[in-house]
Amino acid sequence: MSACVPTRHDRTSRSSRPPRASGIKRPHSPPPPPRRGRFRIAGADLSSSITVFLLAVPMSLGLAVAMDAPLEAGLISAAIGGIVAGLLGGTPLQVSGPSAGLTVVTAELIQIYGWRTTCAITIGAGLLQILLGSLRAARSALAVSPAIVHGTLAGIGVAIALAQLQIVLGGSPQSSAVANALALPDQLGRVSPAAPLIGVLTIAVLILWPRIPGRIGRVVRRIPAALAAVVTATAVAAITAPGIARVDLPSWRSHALPEMPHGPALALATAVLTVMLVASLESLLAAVAVDKLSADRAGGQAAARSKADLTSSSASDPASVSVSVSVSVSASAQGPGPSSSPPPDPPDPPVRRSDLDRELRAQGIANTLSGLVGGLAVSGGAVRSSANVRAGATGRASTVLHGVWVVLAAGLLVTALEQIPLAALAALVMMVGIQMVSFAHIRNVHKHREFLVYGATITGVLLFGVLKGVVIGIAVAVAVALHRLARTRITVTEQGGQHLVVVQGQLTFLAVPRLSRALARLPQDGDAVVELDGFFMDHAAYETIQDWSIAQTAHGGRVVFTGRSGGRIAEPASAAHSCCRPWTPWRNHHCHDRPGQTPETHHARLGTGPASDSGSGSVEDRSPEHHTPHNAPGAHSTPGPADSPTAAPRRTGGNRLFSGLSSFQRNTAPLVREELARLAREGQRPSQLFITCADSRLVTSMITASGPGDLFTVRNIGNLVPPPDAESSDDSVGAAIEYAVDVLKVDSITVCGHSGCGAMQALLGSKPGPDTPPTSLWRWLRHGLPSLERMASRHHAWARISGRLPADAVEQLCLTNVVQQLDHLRAHGPVARRLAEGTLQLHGMYFHVGEAQAYLLAEGASAGLALDEVFNRVDPGDAHASSDSRTLADSHALAGSHVLADSRSPGDADTPGPAAPGDPAGSGELERTGV
């Protein structure tokens, strides 16, 4: 086992960082504070505030009933949560009010200490929230395992549902969830029909209201389902059950204010901590959810605007869609100019990302004020906040106005509120509790093997209370983590005189004694294969394996280390980052190309060659994080001068070719020589023909996890397939297709496009016309004109990518071009014949370079049988087999307009050099944008 010299990461100096005054935001810096100005109220905020108000009033009253608190306390907390937390909070679209998660906790506190002491506990929890927010501890609160958080909320939801079921059945809730469950049989035996029927009616309206179909449904769905359910139940109860228990709002003159708490200090401190913990977690989780909802809404609006722009362009003049789209793209990049057309209607202003520390401080201030004036504990609510976002709110004005409406309702609508049946409010809160048990969270927790932690937390909350349930969940999570860390299976088998040692799990110091015993039983002069099936190895385990390997080799034995898929590795996984291994990690493919370092010196520094100078320093790391090649994604948009201090050094083609070949002969050739010798004897038998672009950023063997002999590759500008009857057909592509289909008998053909394709940008930017110079490049790009016409045509569906519209016109054309080239491919005689026989498959593929994400065209669209052209995302879990260990990174090859590659040669073509022949711009435009 080779020893590798640790590399030193090249950190960016402080002097090269942008100054704070430059306006450039650092990647992980908190968002800047909002600009101070007058409080603006948009029309969308006014309408959404009314929607949230109509939802908040019945929910606030219902939660107060569930907690056995004064009913006016629910209205007080809703008003303070809306006005105070809305004005001061760090999440503009989040709506705060009485906390559903604290229902069980507050009911228990009122029963033990009384209402006035409970208000004092709320004040203490608010002050603690202010302190934690000032200490910037909000992010730390989210570090708790999601299984514990969702388990806590689910346990609270079950307790809420059991308590409110008692009220729906006409009884009174007990002191705990267990007591409520045990009292259900007795309550069912003496139930009266009025309250249950009103409760069932409320639940039915809650469920069916969002599902009303047709035009009527679109109109009535503007009214919140909670308001519709309560109004319906109130109207029915007024006619059929006039004697049912209803809301009783006491006079504001008798409203109780807080008092100095009375009771054991430790119990009161525990109560304050519990209220603070639950309210904070609920608020922070709701803030994160609001960020996601607002981002999804902004993405949908952007996609709709893009769709509308492209539709208007194609409707006005389909032939000029390329010019109009190109102008719009360039205008958006350069900003408005003197001659630019009037801008379209401005979109909704973007909502800032949540400042969680500010939000936590605002929640603390709101809780402190709510406790001082006799209100319930306040927290951010996911139900109210999601309703606010979906109603179209654009800022915090909606939240604040909703609080103002609650204040007005508390003073002017007392008579109307007192007509609401308690059973209707109990049914409403019971549904809120049921919704806190999310099946999506259960599936996600189960998928990550955390269901034991989730179940233990729910059980602890139901049996022992919220705080003790959280402690139980944390204890179980720690025990599960330690069990997984210590669970390492080591098996030794003998196969044909060779010993196979399989290590499954993580190798830590806890597993070292068993590992040492297993390795000591092996013959010292025997051959052994050690399969390491895990992703972590600490220093103790590494030293143990290394010492045993050295001793085994010294006694004449042979040791081979493999990974999970059987691929041979040179050292344990923990040391993989320390040296250059170009056979497996593509991230080190430039390790032979460091300034001022020849292949010989690099070879010596690794300690695998002649004596090296130990004082020469360590090897510099050239990982993607610290190395940006000249053709990196996004470099085309902002080209800089070659002598820019931030630009990566670019070596000449001869030096790069020589150093690459030298590195291959030294590091890679010994590993692949046996495999390539077999391929030389047997000949190539690839299973796929892969037609893709000549862009140097598209490394086919890397993104397909293929090796020598797997792919028969054709690369050209724009991954074009000229039709066989084209006026200026390209025989090289047709010959490659014929050879692959008739001679090599490939099973499938894939046409692969990619993001930021320079050929597609050239087609959009300046359509070839009669006056276009007849260069080789433009004669070739004429084969892409059918793709441009297809995108502008109304007879073809627009291509979609993973459930969304393309980001811009260039991406739309890249996707459409893949579908169009598949049509061209079917027109070739050999392909049509094999398709008719059912022995050949066609696939469309799109690779997003900046995201390193592959998308596959739906099977029906690839076969030409479906109208919808949808590119589906390929996830890691979609693979049916692990990557072949033979996969190697593509070596650098000489550039060309198109390259026909033997499948046994893994090289890919780079894009043209300093100036592309026939560049219409005359300044290397195609190389700047990337082809």
Side-chain angles (χ1 to χ4, degrees):
M1 198 162 39
S2 61
C4 298
V5 179
T7 60
R8 179 174 55 128
H9 295 278
D10 185 17
R11 304 291 183 183
T12 304
S13 63
R14 291 183 178 269
S15 60
S16 63
R17 296 179 182 175
R20 293 183 180 271
S22 65
I24 301 177
K25 291 171 61 178
R26 297 182 181 179
H28 300 288
S29 61
R35 298 178 181 177
R36 297 185 179 273
R38 63 188 184 89
F39 189 75
R40 298 183 178 181
I41 301 176
D45 291 330
L46 182 61
S47 60
S48 59
S49 69
I50 297 174
T51 301
V52 179
F53 157 71
L54 296 177
L55 173 66
V57 169
M59 184 173 292
S60 301
L61 293 174
L63 291 174
V65 172
M67 299 175 189
D68 197 21
L71 296 185
E72 66 272 17
L75 299 176
I76 291 173
S77 60
I80 291 179
I83 297 174
V84 177
L87 282 174
L88 304 178
T91 310
L93 298 185
Q94 175 161 276
V95 181
S96 300
S99 172
L102 285 171
T103 303
V104 179
V105 176
T106 305
E108 184 178 358
L109 292 177
I110 293 174
Q111 190 173 23
I112 296 175
Y113 300 108
W115 169 244
R116 300 181 67 183
T117 299
T118 301
C119 291
I121 292 174
T122 302
I123 296 173
L127 294 175
L128 190 56
Q129 284 180 311
I130 297 173
L131 176 61
L132 292 177
S134 302
L135 295 177
R136 310 186 68 82
R139 290 285 175 184
S140 301
L142 293 179
V144 181
S145 170
I148 298 174
V149 175
H150 295 307
T152 302
L153 296 178
I156 293 172
V158 172
I160 292 174
L162 289 174
Q164 297 312 295
L165 183 57
Q166 296 283 346
I167 300 178
V168 171
L169 295 177
S172 299
Q174 305 298 316
S175 59
S176 66
V178 176
N180 283 316
L182 295 177
L184 275 178
D186 181 63
Q187 183 63 40
L188 289 172
R190 51 187 177 86
V191 65
S192 59
L197 290 177
I198 293 298
V200 170
L201 176 62
T202 305
I203 294 173
V205 175
L206 282 172
I207 295 174
L208 298 178
W209 191 261
R211 293 171 172 81
I212 299 177
R215 183 178 301 177
I216 297 177
R218 288 195 297 270
V219 174
V220 301
R221 279 198 296 269
R222 297 178 181 177
I223 302 174
L227 178 65
V230 172
V231 170
T232 304
T234 302
V236 172
I239 299 172
T240 61
I244 195 173
R246 302 176 186 276
V247 170
D248 182 16
L249 286 174
S251 173
W252 287 103
R253 298 176 181 176
S254 61
H255 181 63
L257 297 177
E259 65 178 1
M260 290 299 296
H262 300 287
L266 181 60
L268 291 173
T270 302
V272 170
L273 183 62
T274 303
V275 172
M276 183 277 301
L277 177 64
V278 177
S280 300
L281 285 177
E282 191 174 8
S283 300
L284 296 178
L285 289 175
V288 174
V290 168
D291 279 350
K292 185 178 185 303
L293 285 175
S294 58
D296 292 344
R297 186 182 68 178
Q301 291 175 346
R305 287 194 300 271
S306 176
K307 176 88 172 176
D309 293 342
L310 289 177
T311 302
S312 61
S313 300
S314 61
S316 60
D317 186 4
S320 64
V321 65
S322 62
V323 177
S324 62
V325 170
S326 175
V327 170
S328 66
V329 171
S330 61
S332 64
Q334 299 174 1
S339 60
S340 60
S341 60
D345 294 337
D348 292 341
V351 179
R352 295 182 180 273
R353 177 171 54 88
S354 295
D355 185 344
L356 296 184
D357 294 304
R358 178 180 174 182
E359 181 65 30
L360 187 58
R361 290 194 299 271
Q363 294 293 331
I365 296 172
N367 272 315
T368 303
L369 292 178
S370 181
L372 285 172
V373 297
L376 296 173
V378 172
S379 72
V383 177
R384 296 181 293 263
S385 301
S386 61
N388 191 37
V389 175
R390 292 190 176 99
T394 61
R396 61 182 74 248
S398 172
T399 303
V400 176
L401 285 176
H402 126 271
V404 174
W405 307 144
V406 172
V407 172
L408 295 177
L412 302 178
L413 299 179
V414 174
T415 303
L417 296 177
E418 288 182 338
Q419 300 301 316
I420 301 174
L422 292 180
L425 295 179
L428 174 63
V429 177
M430 185 176 71
M431 291 301 295
V432 172
I434 293 174
Q435 291 172 358
M436 293 173 70
V437 185
S438 172
F439 289 101
H441 292 154
I442 293 176
R443 286 194 299 268
N444 195 31
V445 166
H446 185 269
K447 182 176 69 174
H448 291 88
R449 298 187 300 168
E450 296 284 344
F451 188 78
L452 179 61
V453 179
Y454 182 84
T457 307
I458 291 179
T459 305
V461 169
L462 292 176
L463 296 180
F464 307 107
V466 175
L467 190 60
K468 294 180 181 178
V470 171
V471 173
I472 291 173
I474 293 175
V476 173
V478 171
V480 169
L482 290 177
H483 174 69
R484 290 174 179 172
L485 194 62
R487 187 183 62 181
T488 305
R489 290 187 57 190
I490 302 173
T491 58
V492 180
T493 57
E494 184 177 358
Q495 301 174 351
Q498 187 180 64
H499 291 81
L500 174 63
V501 182
V502 179
V503 182
Q504 294 178 314
Q506 317 320 315
L507 273 176
T508 65
F509 65 95
L510 299 174
V512 165
R514 287 186 291 129
L515 179 62
S516 300
R517 286 194 297 269
L519 296 177
R521 297 193 188 100
L522 302 180
Q524 292 186 347
D525 56 350
D527 297 340
V529 176
V530 180
E531 179 179 328
L532 303 176
D533 185 2
F535 58 85
F536 176 77
M537 178 190 302
D538 68 1
H539 186 71
Y542 174 78
E543 291 290 345
T544 300
I545 293 180
Q546 187 180 41
D547 294 342
W548 169 81
S549 176
I550 294 174
Q552 191 82 356
T553 305
H555 286 84
R558 183 171 177 267
V559 180
V560 176
F561 293 90
T562 65
R564 180 181 305 180
S565 60
R568 185 171 178 174
I569 60 177
E571 62 277 318
S574 62
H577 69 282
S578 306
C579 64
C580 174
R581 297 192 298 128
W583 175 239
T584 46
W586 175 82
R587 70 190 296 266
N588 288 325
H589 73 296
H590 278 171
C591 59
H592 59 269
D593 187 24
R594 298 190 176 95
Q597 178 176 315
T598 63
E600 290 75 18
T601 59
H602 173 65
H603 185 276
R605 287 185 184 183
L606 289 181
T608 56
S612 61
D613 184 6
S614 60
S616 60
S618 60
V619 179
E620 178 188 1
D621 183 35
R622 292 294 296 270
S623 61
E625 303 94 297
H626 306 105
H627 170 69
T628 305
H630 69 280
N631 53 4
H636 61 274
S637 60
T638 56
D643 57 350
S644 173
T646 60
R650 177 166 179 168
R651 303 183 63 181
T652 60
N655 291 338
R656 181 181 290 273
L657 177 64
F658 173 79
S659 60
L661 292 174
S662 176
S663 176
F664 169 80
Q665 294 301 143
R666 177 177 66 254
N667 298 319
T668 308
L671 300 176
V672 301
R673 185 170 286 116
E674 181 179 352
E675 177 68 10
L676 291 179
R678 182 188 65 80
L679 291 173
R681 292 191 305 269
E682 300 175 358
Q684 64 166 333
R685 289 180 292 183
S687 60
Q688 303 178 59
L689 168 61
F690 200 82
I691 303 174
T692 189
C693 187
D695 193 300
S696 61
R697 298 167 296 180
L698 208 64
V699 187
T700 57
S701 63
M702 179 184 69
I703 65 177
T704 60
S706 58
D710 293 338
L711 297 180
F712 190 76
T713 307
V714 175
R715 305 191 66 159
N716 59 55
I717 302 296
N719 49 273
L720 301 177
V721 180
D725 56 351
E727 296 180 1
S728 57
S729 179
D730 186 282
D731 292 334
S732 66
V733 178
I737 294 172
E738 181 179 350
Y739 183 76
V741 173
D742 288 342
V743 179
L744 297 178
K745 304 293 183 182
V746 295
D747 300 327
S748 66
I749 304 177
T750 301
V751 177
C752 176
H754 68 96
S755 61
C757 182
M760 302 300 106
Q761 295 182 36
L763 286 173
L764 282 173
S766 52
K767 180 179 176 181
D771 300 333
T772 303
T775 63
S776 299
L777 180 60
W778 278 119
R779 282 197 300 270
W780 173 254
L781 287 180
R782 290 180 186 272
H783 299 304
L785 293 179
S787 301
L788 201 62
E789 297 169 358
R790 185 189 188 103
M791 188 178 77
S793 173
R794 297 184 181 181
H795 302 291
H796 296 281
W798 281 5
R800 300 192 305 277
I801 177 170
S802 190
R804 65 169 175 84
L805 288 175
D808 50 30
V810 175
E811 188 172 57
Q812 176 68 65
L813 184 56
C814 292
L815 298 173
T816 303
N817 181 60
V818 172
V819 181
Q820 182 64 37
Q821 302 313 312
L822 288 174
D823 286 351
H824 292 175
L825 196 58
R826 296 186 193 95
H828 285 260
V831 176
R833 184 178 62 256
R834 289 280 303 279
L835 288 175
E837 296 172 356
T839 58
L840 182 67
Q841 293 182 338
L842 302 185
H843 302 290
M845 176 179 166
Y846 175 77
F847 186 76
H848 196 292
V849 178
E851 298 175 356
Q853 178 61 55
Y855 299 86
L856 280 180
L857 184 62
E859 185 175 353
S862 295
L865 303 177
L867 296 178
D868 289 338
E869 301 164 2
V870 181
F871 287 78
N872 295 316
R873 177 188 179 100
V874 179
D875 293 323
D878 295 340
H880 298 291
S882 59
S883 302
D884 194 331
S885 61
R886 297 175 299 168
T887 302
L888 76 157
D890 285 1
S891 59
H892 294 282
L894 295 178
S897 62
H898 57 267
V899 178
L900 175 61
D902 189 300
S903 65
R904 294 168 292 183
S905 175
D908 285 342
D910 285 332
T911 49
D919 185 350
S923 60
E925 178 68 12
L926 287 180
E927 188 217 15
R928 182 179 70 83
T929 58
V931 178

